[in-house]
Amino acid sequence: MPVETTCREFEELGLFECKIGGTVKSVRCIRPWQIQPEEVPSDVKVTSNAFLEWRTQLLPAGVPLELSLPKESRWAAVIDGMFLYSHNRGAHVTSRRFATVSNATIRRRNAEDREVQFHFVSQTSGEPAAIGFETHVDGLRLLVAVPQGPVVDRTSTSTGKVRSFRSAYLRHLILNDDELGKHANKFQREWLYQIYFSALTAYALGQPTSLEIANRALFGDVLDRAAKKVLDAIFETSDVLAMEREQEEAEGTEAPEEPSEDDNARSGRLVASIRALFHEEVVGVRLRTLAEALWAPLSDEAMVWASERDLSTVGSAVLAACTELYPEAVTSDLLLDIDPGYRAPDDTPIPPGVSEIWITEATLGGGGVLEEIARRYVDDPRRFFRLLESCLGPSDHEMVDSELTRLLLSIPEDEELAATMEAVRAAEGHAALSSAVSRLEDGMAARGLAVSHAVMAALHARILRPGSSARTDHFLRSLISQWQAEEVRLGVELDSRVFAYVASASQEASTALADLEGYSTDPARSDSMRFTDSCGPGAE
């Protein structure tokens, strides 16, 4: 796409440096002032979209203000230095934001979605070009020590961190695989991951067998039946429609598909398009190949991705700490970069074993946000790092998981706590219930358990719900133990929906949960939830 035909009026910004195909190139960049639109063909849907593939080049200038770390801080082993570039001290950061590529999803009526990648070029020479802008802003630069050794173990699955990483890395591979990109758009690749990973782990749980053996079994008709079963039983068809709508809202392209098309027709069409992908042999072969990342030694590319995630986590925490330190600022005033882009060879080199994190302002010339953050940092450096640690602490979901698990596991050895829980279940009337809950909270606090609103709300909704009993407590403990044991055995983090789906087919589940309010004892429902019987080899 020649930039001259797209932009009716523009400003020449000069040559920007970036890597294209692994080689550093100087690319002509223009800033559009007026674009040349065209009439959209009538068969192109309004939910079609395109996104620029943004690149960044941050060029610091001037002498920065160095911010000292508090003495004896454990963060001194992570952060090698913090430097503020601000206009009021005669320093700044030249921020270049530009794109050489635009990725588009073209949706047409009565046709499959099509993904297209547009490359910007100069009209006369045909050489790569870019559209973007350049501004002088204030910036905060952090030098972060790269961990000595791998972020995750290449071969081990002994920790929850590694098991979680392997599941997340498979998703990354499927979403960014060029071969799958020829057959499925971004939305469909997300569902390819969800369905294949669910089918794979459900098969391995139900047989039971290893992921490697399950991966070899999922081909042809077996894969097709497994995909259908996952969509029908684990993910309702409404989930497919909801995910597409969430994507459209995030992309700013939400709009009615057709005035006459209802949700059922639309979700049915989406499900059919996803299921059709599992009929394509090349898709199944590629999914089985990528799935080997779940048990094989991690590649060099995986280790690089792990390091990037580690740096991104620290960077996100730093950005969050900055906004907590100066909450009066608008969140969009600050931008995070963990890749500052190309630097000229004569620039000051980055010390070995160190990476950069940049927080820059979005306002031309600097809006004073980073200056105020720096002032508050100097007043109390330890407060900044307390905020930083808080941002990296457990979320409400993680706290609920930890505390409810500890509570359930402690009941068999703690008769007093068990009796207190039974008193809550047996309480009649508001006064009796309030008194029983108060005693339970005191008992939990005395045992070091959190009694936050999130924990107590989840405790009443999940463990103390109407119809629950000591029998359901025992069943939940056995489920947790089984879930943890299966994650260790398979070496990956298991989706709660998949594990619940497989576990629900057991007779123990029907017996233990029969008295719970809202639980279905319909035999047809139980029969329909047996995964391996209907998806295994030789199934009718």
Side-chain angles (χ1 to χ4, degrees):
M1 177 181 288
V3 291
E4 292 86 352
T5 61
T6 307
C7 307
R8 179 181 296 169
E9 183 180 337
F10 55 85
E11 173 190 356
E12 292 282 357
L13 298 181
L15 298 178
F16 289 1
E17 291 78 22
C18 65
K19 283 189 176 181
I20 298 179
T23 303
V24 176
K25 292 187 177 181
S26 296
V27 177
R28 171 199 178 200
C29 185
I30 67 166
R31 178 169 188 169
W33 289 111
Q34 193 177 76
I35 63 171
Q36 178 65 53
E38 296 180 2
E39 185 175 352
V40 179
S42 59
D43 65 331
V44 173
K45 299 177 182 178
V46 293
T47 52
S48 298
N49 58 73
F51 291 90
L52 296 173
E53 195 173 287
W54 287 100
R55 297 171 180 264
T56 298
Q57 192 176 19
L58 301 178
L59 305 174
V63 179
L65 169 66
E66 183 171 3
L67 304 177
S68 301
L69 271 68
K71 294 181 179 180
E72 299 179 359
S73 170
R74 61 180 178 178
W75 282 97
V78 179
I79 299 177
D80 282 359
M82 299 174 61
F83 305 90
L84 175 68
Y85 292 83
S86 62
H87 283 75
N88 72 337
R89 299 185 61 86
H92 69 270
V93 179
T94 299
S95 174
R96 293 174 171 179
R97 313 279 182 178
F98 58 102
T100 60
V101 168
S102 174
N103 297 304
T105 299
I106 309 299
R107 296 172 176 169
R108 294 181 180 270
R109 296 178 178 83
N110 303 319
E112 292 185 359
D113 294 350
R114 183 184 175 201
E115 289 200 350
V116 183
Q117 188 173 71
F118 295 92
H119 294 259
F120 298 115
V121 297
S122 294
Q123 189 169 31
T124 54
S125 66
E127 290 294 316
I131 61 174
F133 59 95
E134 177 181 277
T135 54
H136 291 177
V137 298
D138 289 354
L140 178 64
R141 180 193 189 203
L142 287 85
L143 298 180
V144 179
V146 176
Q148 299 295 313
V151 176
V152 295
D153 195 313
R154 284 181 183 268
T155 57
S156 171
T157 57
S158 60
T159 66
K161 174 182 177 180
V162 175
R163 294 192 290 271
S164 176
F165 173 80
R166 285 183 178 268
S167 301
Y169 185 57
L170 176 61
R171 178 178 181 270
H172 165 75
L173 290 176
I174 291 176
L175 291 182
N176 295 278
D177 187 67
D178 292 337
E179 185 62 34
L180 290 176
K182 298 175 183 177
H183 305 270
N185 61 34
K186 179 173 62 176
F187 166 78
Q188 292 170 328
R189 291 199 296 276
E190 175 65 47
W191 274 105
L192 284 178
Y193 162 74
Q194 295 274 4
I195 294 171
Y196 192 81
F197 183 66
S198 298
L200 184 66
T201 51
Y203 191 101
L205 288 169
Q207 286 295 343
T209 188
S210 67
L211 290 177
E212 188 173 2
I213 293 175
N215 193 49
R216 291 200 296 265
L218 291 180
F219 69 93
D221 292 341
V222 176
L223 176 58
D224 180 55
R225 287 194 294 270
K228 181 180 185 302
K229 200 67 176 177
V230 167
L231 273 169
D232 291 345
I234 299 180
F235 302 105
E236 297 180 0
T237 53
S238 59
D239 293 339
V240 181
L241 186 59
M243 182 179 287
E244 188 190 50
R245 282 180 170 161
E246 287 177 6
Q247 179 181 342
E248 290 173 355
E249 289 176 3
E251 296 171 349
T253 58
E254 185 182 18
E257 181 74 10
E258 291 287 348
S260 61
E261 186 176 34
D262 60 19
D263 283 354
N264 289 332
R266 188 178 178 187
S267 63
R269 177 179 55 79
L270 293 172
V271 169
S273 68
I274 294 169
R275 282 204 58 199
L277 291 170
F278 288 95
H279 290 286
E280 298 184 32
E281 183 179 359
V282 64
V283 172
V285 170
R286 191 60 185 155
L287 289 172
R288 286 196 297 277
T289 299
L290 295 177
E292 294 176 5
L294 294 175
W295 60 85
L298 294 172
S299 64
D300 292 342
E301 291 78 8
M303 305 309 290
V304 170
W305 191 72
S307 297
E308 290 174 351
R309 301 285 70 71
D310 182 70
L311 187 63
S312 178
T313 301
V314 176
S316 297
V318 170
L319 177 61
C322 287
T323 56
E324 289 290 329
L325 192 63
Y326 185 26
E328 300 92 329
V330 179
T331 305
S332 58
D333 285 343
L334 300 178
L335 304 174
L336 167 67
D337 288 283
I338 61 171
D339 180 6
Y342 175 77
R343 296 267 177 78
D346 56 350
D347 284 350
T348 303
I350 301 174
V354 170
S355 295
E356 288 181 278
I357 291 175
W358 279 91
I359 307 293
T360 57
E361 292 190 24
T363 305
L364 176 65
V369 176
L370 285 177
E371 290 177 15
E372 179 61 20
I373 289 173
R375 187 189 67 78
R376 297 186 183 190
Y377 174 90
V378 171
D379 288 344
D380 188 356
R382 294 187 183 278
R383 182 187 175 209
F384 175 82
F385 287 102
R386 287 197 299 270
L387 293 171
L388 180 58
E389 291 183 6
S390 175
C391 296
L392 292 169
S395 66
D396 283 347
H397 292 298
E398 291 171 312
M399 185 65 72
V400 166
D401 171 44
S402 170
E403 299 308 279
L404 295 193
T405 299
R406 289 174 59 200
L407 175 65
L408 283 170
L409 295 179
S410 64
I411 291 175
E413 309 297 330
D414 193 331
E415 294 182 0
E416 182 182 353
L417 185 59
T420 307
M421 290 181 61
E422 289 305 311
V424 174
R425 290 182 171 122
E428 295 184 2
H430 177 72
L433 180 60
S434 296
S435 177
V437 170
S438 179
R439 291 196 301 274
L440 176 59
E441 290 179 345
D442 291 342
M444 290 174 59
R447 290 160 176 79
L449 293 166
V451 289
S452 65
H453 173 74
V455 171
M456 297 308 297
L459 173 60
H460 286 280
R462 302 180 186 181
I463 296 179
L464 299 176
R465 61 183 295 179
S468 64
S469 64
R471 182 173 63 179
T472 57
D473 293 344
H474 173 76
F475 177 64
L476 287 175
R477 283 195 299 274
S478 66
L479 279 182
I480 291 171
S481 298
Q482 183 185 354
W483 189 358
Q484 293 172 343
E486 289 291 359
E487 287 192 330
V488 172
R489 181 179 72 85
L490 297 177
V492 296
E493 184 178 73
L494 295 174
D495 189 303
S496 58
R497 293 168 295 187
V498 175
F499 180 77
Y501 165 69
V502 175
S504 65
S506 68
Q507 183 60 42
E508 183 184 5
S510 299
T511 302
L513 304 178
D515 295 333
L516 282 182
E517 187 176 285
Y519 178 73
S520 173
T521 56
D522 182 2
R525 178 179 178 273
S526 299
D527 291 342
S528 69
M529 299 183 77
R530 300 190 183 279
F531 183 87
T532 53
D533 291 348
S534 60
C535 296
E540 295 297 331

